[in-house]
Amino acid sequence: MSSKKRSIHTTCVHAGELKDPIYGGATAPIYTSTAYDYRSDGTNLYPRYMNTPNQVALAQKMAALEHTEAGLIFASGMAAISAVFMTYLKTGDHIILQESIYGGTSHFVTAEFEKTGINYTFLSDINEETLAQSCTDHTKMIYIETPSNPLLKITDIGGVSAFAKAKSIITAIDNTFASPINQNPADHGIDLVIHSATKYLGGHSDITAGVVCASKDYIHHIWKTAKNYGGSISDQTAWMLERSIKTLGLRVQRQTKNAKKLAKFLEKHPQVTQVNYPGLKSHPDHKLAKKQMNDYGGMLSFELDKSINHEQFVSHLKTIKVALSLAGVESTILAPAVTSHSLLTADQRTDQGISDRLLRFSVGIEEVSVLKADIKRAIKKSNTLDS
Ligand SMILES: *Cc1c(COP(=O)(O)O)cnc(C)c1O
């Protein structure tokens, strides 16, 4: 455990702090200007150039959290992801992607890469052997997401970066599910660390934003492309996100603690047939998760047995909200087959192991006893054999 990890809450609160130079206020001022005196220090400040005081302060906080030299803040996770792709990939290039990634990302690949003539390979199982088989002379990037959505599969981050480094291939990871609290991929050699800040970083289900963290060189490259695409964040939202991140460590540690307890509770429940959580010893990649993650995170998924009508189950939940997104302080649940993964065909879902009965659970900060009671009651009420 590095000293950076031990001072995680201090980093959340103080890294990239923007001081109030006039009144000495304890919180950062918000600079909403879109017009700045260009003579002041030789830089042209402009929100779309991603270089206003609030944008820069937030980028510094994120870089500190991800143990990288620099960061760049975007208007959404997809704005960050698409800027990364369009910076490094051109017609004729090839990219290898993990198959089980965020639906929006795989949709971007199939829709936009087809148009631009960028070649891609989705791999269901990423390891040295499958990477070597798929790699060509034109392979420019390997893109992974771990833990994955919604099955919480774990990809070997160090293995991927070692393979890529030997061939000078750029590596990128979507680190949204773990958050910088539970996983720091740059420490394992990954070049580009991406977040949908709409999730844990915002944490209150009320902000849309995205982040890329990397070395100064990489960030400078991405910035040159990003300002052409224009996916910049507003300074008000940057300020809100900076405020939210002050409690990131507290929130995520609490969510992780709750998720661990709930995963064990669900695993023992007679009506639960499957629990996917990397912190469980029964998880096929538990050892790998233990090696590369600081902790196992607040996301899990599970299946109820056939005696339970799962649509009824979710409607009987009172504290746990049925909702599309994830990672807020409130617990939320969804059925991937009809939401996040509805763009896949039924066959594709089956291939990836996403059953119609699977429920993805984003564990909040509520008392774990309340969440357990909510689940127990909803299972009882939706048991078709009981009535
Ligand atoms: C939500 C999400 C995204 C996309 O982020 P937006 O802010 O919605 O653009 C990307 N990756 C993962 C893992 C996500 O959960």
Side-chain angles (χ1 to χ4, degrees), residues 33-88:
S33 271
T34 56
Y36 287 89
D37 184 342
Y38 58 86
R39 297 167 307 174
S40 55
D41 67 349
T43 40
N44 295 332
L45 298 194
Y46 187 59
R48 186 168 47 75
Y49 295 169
M50 305 179 162
N51 61 4
T52 61
N54 291 96
Q55 291 172 330
V56 169
L58 178 55
Q60 284 169 354
K61 193 188 279 292
M62 280 308 304
L65 282 166
E66 279 296 12
H67 309 171
T68 59
E69 283 175 358
L72 206 54
I73 312 298
F74 291 82
S76 71
M78 282 313 300
I81 292 165
S82 55
V84 160
F85 287 154
M86 299 331 273
T87 300
Y88 293 105

Side-chain angles (χ1 to χ4, degrees), residues 151-170:
L151 293 171
L152 288 302
K153 286 189 181 164
I154 307 294
T155 302
D156 181 357
I157 301 175
V160 167
S161 72
F163 176 90
K165 275 207 171 26
K167 294 189 179 319
S168 303
I169 296 170
I170 298 168

Side-chain angles (χ1 to χ4, degrees), residues 74-81 101-105 143 145-149 174-178 194-200 207-211 299 324-327 360:
F74 291 82
S76 71
M78 282 313 300
I81 292 165
I101 50 172
Y102 178 69
T105 311
Y143 184 97
E145 187 176 315
T146 177
S148 75
N149 179 21
D174 185 331
N175 203 32
T176 301
F177 262 42
I194 307 173
H195 285 278
S196 167
T198 313
K199 313 300 162 54
Y200 283 108
I207 288 172
T208 308
V211 182
M299 298 296 303
L324 187 60
S325 197
L326 63 106
R360 189 193 74 193

